[in-house]
Amino acid sequence: MANGEPSTATGYLYYPGCSLKGTGIAYEESLLTLFRLLELPVTELTDWNCCGATTYMSSDERDAQLLAARNLSLARQAGGADVLAPCNACYLTLRKCVDFCKKYKSVADDVHSYLEDAHLPTLQDVAIRHPLEVLYTDVGVERLRAGVVRKWPGGPVACYYGCQAVRPYTEVDRESNPMRMDEILNAVGVPTVPYALKTKCCGASHTGTIRDVGVRLSYILLREAARQQAKAVAVICPLCQFNLDLYQAEMRRSDPSLPELPIIYLTQILGWVLGGDPKDLGVQRCVSGANTVRQWFTSEKGAPVHV
Amino acid sequence: MKRHIKYQVDAQADWGAMVGEQPGCERLFSCIQCGTCSGTCPVSIYMDLSPRRIMALVREGFRDDALASKTIWLCASCYSCSVACPQKISVTDVMYALKREALSKGILPKDLAIPVLAQEFCSMVSKTGRNSEFWLVLRVALRTNPFALFTMLPVAWNLMRTGRLPLGREAIVRKWELPARAAAKGVR
């Protein structure tokens, strides 16, 4: 593509990042199934690399930005459609690269000369989008409501947005008290509870390195959700899902009164109420509250439900 | 509470300015020491120095205290402080700048696996272009506390039985396009 030529691409270029191929594979399965149901074309970005992530920024700022830049350059090579980055950390890192290139000439120069050395196209405006924002803005609450074919059998849900999706380089939702996930779920017949900790840190990779601290942060999130009578937590980030899901057994050893809360991706809930097959949505991969999840996600598809 | 007196002669005034020159850190000197960063920080209670104190130390040039703190590594990059700061300082980016210098100078707090994770993550991704979650965790544990692997077994088992723990090593195809390789070949 020549410099300056506007993009004519349609659909979305899917940037999985490491987690959606591993611990967060249910997010990939449910996302792709949901987008298929909504007839939104999605293509995986060819030969994508690690986004650079939070951890890389701690060691080498320049290379962290260059890793992010290669992905954006590949997106341009692939036609320049919007990049769909479902992991909150990938979403932030890719957008931070764009933001820093605009703000700091030194970063823009580094990126430019690296892409030249690597024989990759220079950066152009590529939009980096999060599924929540795409569902809210491109699809819209009304279309989601109209597509509902199953009645939600589960209880009320606490919507947990996590940290890096809503700040600071973002268009997903407002940074204090985001409500888009709540609005979407309410529209498709899933009740939500007020959840003051919806953007508080889950502990991120600390659960693996300084376990007491990491698990404690996740515990506080779950305890608050339980106190609000939530029967599950809806998430939009693979690391949030991992921490809240996998460490619950450990939390219950120190606090047996903590109820088992399924940690479900927004895309799994939506995919299911819109008629997707539970297997295709990866719901069998939930660890905490697995029996509850199995019960909720087995009721039959009915006639279109008006919610 | 023990009180530590800081003496001007122990500070390196120009060091603070150097930190302030890094991308994202330019507002450092506008800090009014209000403590909003420490108040919003979800991990400040586990830190040896609060984020507000780190900001004051960096500004005055108390390099060794700032770099040797656990604080900079406990920062989980949730950006709460950065969006809450009334002076619009990206505290998160200042923490990153400090982490980078501490790592490159080898000034690391003892028995903390977080900087080891950063090292291993970068060494893996700079070579292969991707992060293989299983191998990363294994390498960090072997370098810091191999016994921790036993405590990780229940989590690992739950991941494996639900098909969430691939054991293969991930890599991109065109590795020559990675920053480390492209720079070696290129004109710079």
Side-chain angles (χ1 to χ4, degrees), chain A residues 57-60, chain B residues 12 15-16 18-19 22 58 63-64 67 72-73 94-108:
Chain A
M57 198 56 89
S58 320
S59 157
D60 188 330
Chain B
Q12 295 167 247
W15 176 73
M18 272 163 56
V19 174
Q22 300 207 36
V58 175
R63 176 179 172 274
D64 298 346
L67 293 188
I72 58 177
W73 295 106
V94 176
M95 294 293 178
Y96 275 135
L98 299 177
K99 288 182 218 190
R100 289 194 292 270
E101 187 167 349
L103 256 191
S104 69
K105 302 277 155 54
I107 309 172
L108 300 174

Side-chain angles (χ1 to χ4, degrees), chain A residues 13-296:
Chain A
L13 279 169
Y14 165 51
Y15 174 78
C18 322
S19 291
L20 272 81
K21 297 289 178 189
T23 51
I25 188 158
Y27 196 6
E28 174 177 279
E29 291 166 335
S30 56
L31 178 81
L32 298 181
T33 303
L34 174 65
F35 274 51
R36 202 172 51 239
L37 289 169
L38 292 168
E39 292 170 346
L40 301 172
V42 179
T43 332
E44 187 173 316
L45 186 63
T46 313
D47 210 33
W48 57 270
N49 58 264
C50 166
C51 66
T54 299
T55 321
Y56 218 108
M57 198 56 89
S58 320
S59 157
D60 188 330
E61 203 232 344
R62 194 179 141 272
D63 277 14
Q65 300 286 11
L66 302 185
L67 282 166
R70 179 174 178 268
N71 292 314
L72 301 177
S73 176
L74 294 181
R76 203 189 140 198
Q77 224 169 23
D82 292 1
V83 174
L84 188 65
C87 167
N88 289 2
C90 298
Y91 176 80
L92 175 132
T93 310
L94 297 176
R95 289 185 78 104
K96 185 171 185 172
C97 173
V98 173
D99 185 77
F100 270 39
C101 282
K102 278 185 192 145
K103 272 193 206 144
Y104 307 104
K105 192 171 176 297
S106 62
V107 178
D109 289 348
D110 279 347
V111 165
H112 187 82
S113 63
Y114 153 66
L115 292 175
E116 227 163 48
D117 289 350
H119 305 292
L120 288 164
T122 48
L123 294 195
Q124 290 244 293
D125 281 343
V126 178
I128 299 140
R129 317 276 310 273
H130 190 281
L132 175 56
E133 191 229 334
V134 169
L135 290 168
Y136 192 86
T137 338
D138 296 11
V139 180
V141 172
E142 283 317 310
R143 197 181 145 199
L144 291 168
R145 191 202 309 266
V148 174
V149 293
R150 284 194 185 112
K151 200 167 180 307
W152 176 246
V157 167
C159 291
Y160 177 55
Y161 296 72
C163 56
Q164 298 191 336
V166 289
R167 59 182 175 250
Y169 316 102
T170 176
E171 285 167 57
V172 171
D173 204 335
R174 56 174 187 252
E175 66 198 30
S176 99
N177 196 23
M179 283 300 289
R180 286 182 172 180
M181 196 178 353
D182 294 78
E183 273 181 57
I184 288 176
L185 286 179
N186 292 160
V188 299
V190 181
T192 57
V193 299
Y195 192 46
L197 303 185
K198 52 172 75 165
T199 66
K200 191 119 183 149
C201 174
C202 71
S205 59
H206 287 356
T207 45
T209 47
I210 180 156
R211 202 173 170 119
D212 296 353
V213 174
V215 175
R216 181 80 189 161
L217 291 178
S218 283
Y219 167 77
I220 295 167
L221 296 177
L222 290 176
R223 190 77 253 182
E224 172 71 16
R227 290 291 298 266
Q228 290 286 3
Q229 308 300 322
K231 299 294 172 225
V233 179
V235 292
I236 52 170
C237 170
L239 193 52
C240 299
Q241 202 282 341
F242 179 88
N243 282 341
L244 298 178
D245 190 17
L246 270 300
Y247 290 99
Q248 267 189 50
E250 186 174 324
M251 294 171 199
R252 258 185 298 280
R253 274 203 295 277
S254 46
D255 176 8
S257 72
L258 182 74
E260 266 203 53
L261 290 172
I263 313 299
I264 314 171
Y265 291 108
L266 170 70
T267 44
Q268 290 179 311
I269 301 179
L270 286 179
W272 190 79
V273 293
L274 295 184
D277 183 77
K279 262 249 146 58
D280 294 344
L281 297 165
V283 296
Q284 72 283 5
R285 300 187 194 277
C286 285
V287 172
S288 293
N291 290 333
T292 315
V293 171
R294 210 169 301 129
Q295 257 174 28
W296 287 354

Side-chain angles (χ1 to χ4, degrees), chain B residues 103-146:
Chain B
L103 256 191
S104 69
K105 302 277 155 54
I107 309 172
L108 300 174
K110 262 191 213 149
D111 305 323
L112 201 59
I114 304 168
V116 180
L117 173 72
Q119 282 172 328
E120 291 296 331
F121 183 86
C122 293
S123 120
M124 178 183 275
V125 172
S126 65
K127 286 184 205 115
T128 63
R130 287 201 192 157
N131 161 26
S132 313
E133 290 168 323
F134 170 76
W135 293 100
L136 179 67
V137 171
L138 192 65
R139 281 165 68 168
V140 173
L142 290 177
R143 267 189 63 190
T144 51
N145 177 13

Side-chain angles (χ1 to χ4, degrees), chain B:
Chain B
M1 192 181 159
K2 206 167 140 196
R3 193 167 175 187
H4 294 279
I5 304 173
K6 297 246 157 273
Y7 296 98
Q8 186 74 54
V9 290
D10 298 328
Q12 295 167 247
D14 53 338
W15 176 73
M18 272 163 56
V19 174
E21 274 165 23
Q22 300 207 36
C25 305
E26 64 281 345
R27 305 255 325 143
L28 171 67
F29 285 87
S30 64
C31 176
I32 52 172
Q33 288 289 295
C34 66
T36 303
C37 46
S38 307
T40 56
C41 179
V43 280
S44 57
I45 63 159
Y46 303 102
M47 290 172 168
D48 43 2
L49 297 165
S50 69
R52 179 192 64 77
R53 284 179 166 217
I54 292 283
M55 300 301 284
L57 288 168
V58 175
R59 242 181 3 178
E60 297 306 315
F62 288 98
R63 176 179 172 274
D64 298 346
D65 301 78
L67 293 188
S69 70
K70 285 188 180 170
T71 299
I72 58 177
W73 295 106
L74 279 165
C75 168
S77 316
C78 78
Y79 290 87
S80 295
C81 51
S82 300
V83 298
C85 176
Q87 289 293 82
K88 300 197 164 31
I89 303 166
S90 182
V91 184
T92 314
D93 282 308
V94 176
M95 294 293 178
Y96 275 135
L98 299 177
K99 288 182 218 190
R100 289 194 292 270
E101 187 167 349
L103 256 191
S104 69
K105 302 277 155 54
I107 309 172
L108 300 174
K110 262 191 213 149
D111 305 323
L112 201 59
I114 304 168
V116 180
L117 173 72
Q119 282 172 328
E120 291 296 331
F121 183 86
C122 293
S123 120
M124 178 183 275
V125 172
S126 65
K127 286 184 205 115
T128 63
R130 287 201 192 157
N131 161 26
S132 313
E133 290 168 323
F134 170 76
W135 293 100
L136 179 67
V137 171
L138 192 65
R139 281 165 68 168
V140 173
L142 290 177
R143 267 189 63 190
T144 51
N145 177 13
F147 295 106
L149 287 171
F150 290 105
T151 62
M152 291 176 188
L153 281 176
V155 169
W157 163 243
N158 278 324
L159 287 173
M160 266 166 114
R161 70 178 177 80
T162 51
R164 294 168 61 177
L165 192 64
L167 301 181
R169 285 174 193 270
E170 292 285 323
I172 65 167
V173 179
R174 303 196 300 269
K175 286 189 204 146
W176 60 88
E177 289 176 1
L178 287 171
R181 301 272 288 273
K185 240 179 31 189
V187 285
R188 274 173 299 147

